[in-house]
Amino acid sequence: MRIGVVTFPGSLDDRDAQRAARIAGAEAVPLWHGDHDLQGVDAVVLPGGFSYGDYLRAGAIAARAAIMTEIVEAAGKGLPVLGICNGFQMLVEAHLLPGGLIRNAHQQFIRRDQVLRVENNSTAWTHGFEAGQEIVIPMKNADGNFIADDETLKRIEGEGLVAFRYAGGVNPNGSLDDIAGLTNARGNVVGLMPHPEHAVEAGFGPDTDAAMKSGVDGLVMFRSVIERTLQTA
Amino acid sequence: MPTIVVDVMPKAELLDPQGKAVAGALARQGSTRFTDVRIGKRFELTVEGPADEAVLAEVREIAANLLSNDVIEDVVAITVVD
């Protein structure tokens, strides 16, 4: 099982995503934004960061990178793709996921250990969770405010495309319907603003009710995609 | 060389957090007659040769597909200035 992680100019968490893939039991394959080559990986992660300094719109320029041609095509054939934070912004800019992500309603960068509720546990990246399970994942962003027009929002909710919702009584950025992450209808493309790759090793994860820095809920996402890939292989 | 100006604004029905912050600053400094502020973007594209219909068609395409995201923004004007 090989998970590719694309590095763009301004990616910050590509190495963390590679580490998460390895801790989950996969081989991590570094991919380069300027290549038209996915190197035959079984899944792709678009990592967090500030590609191109968030110029134009967050994720907009990276969404038009060379490798995105291959990613959009492969996603259409069912390749699992996970967009984390800036990667989620790229997925909406590439129209692989609906809606848009704009500046946080309170105008501030926010960093917190955030409670999420798993809304859709049938995707390639979330089937290891229970439906309705509450998990803790760190988040850190300035442009995580999810918006969509009424018609799109109705479709997102009607088709069960909400993968994660902010929970624990906190909507940290003003996102419509408390939306923290989405899936496509097929369930192979998932994007979320919080960072599951930062919650994969006890001692280095988010604080939980159990203990400081003990959270490893993010590992489930990487294990889910490994398990799904091995099942279908 | 002609310059083509593309103006992009956040969609009217959607929240514009930056505009809202500026509106708050205006109110705090006593400029109370302004009820709303919205912040958009202005792009200036310089072209060699005349800004003919072929160039404008290309600008309309660029404006729709790169300079703006139609989920959150509208292209409100494309104008040629010399």
Side-chain angles (χ1 to χ4, degrees), chain A residues 56-57 60-61 64 92-93 95 98-107 145 147-149 176, chain B residues 8 11 13-21 41 43 64-73:
Chain A
L56 188 61
R57 298 174 301 278
I61 297 177
R64 288 150 178 92
V92 299
E93 279 286 342
H95 303 296
L101 290 153
I102 62 168
R103 185 60 53 93
N104 292 339
H106 47 65
Q107 281 282 325
N145 186 353
I147 57 167
D149 59 38
L176 291 176
Chain B
V8 174
K11 279 189 187 294
E13 68 271 25
L14 296 177
L15 177 70
D16 172 15
Q18 296 185 76
K20 211 173 142 195
K41 291 177 190 157
F43 299 85
N65 294 325
L66 177 63
L67 304 185
S68 71
N69 173 352
D70 65 3
V71 175
I72 56 176
E73 297 166 320

Side-chain angles (χ1 to χ4, degrees), chain A residues 1-5 21 25-31 38-44 79 226 229-230:
Chain A
M1 170 70 189
R2 301 165 75 238
I3 298 179
V5 179
E27 179 190 345
V29 180
L31 300 176
L38 296 180
Q39 298 186 31
V41 294
D42 303 299
V44 169
L79 183 80
I226 292 171
T229 303
L230 295 179

Side-chain angles (χ1 to χ4, degrees), chain A residues 154-186:
Chain A
K154 235 175 249 168
R155 185 172 68 80
I156 288 169
E157 294 288 359
E159 296 179 8
L161 302 185
V162 179
F164 299 99
R165 247 186 261 276
Y166 298 114
V170 176
N171 177 334
N173 50 27
S175 287
L176 291 176
D177 287 7
D178 300 330
I179 288 172
L182 293 177
T183 175
N184 64 349
R186 189 169 178 170

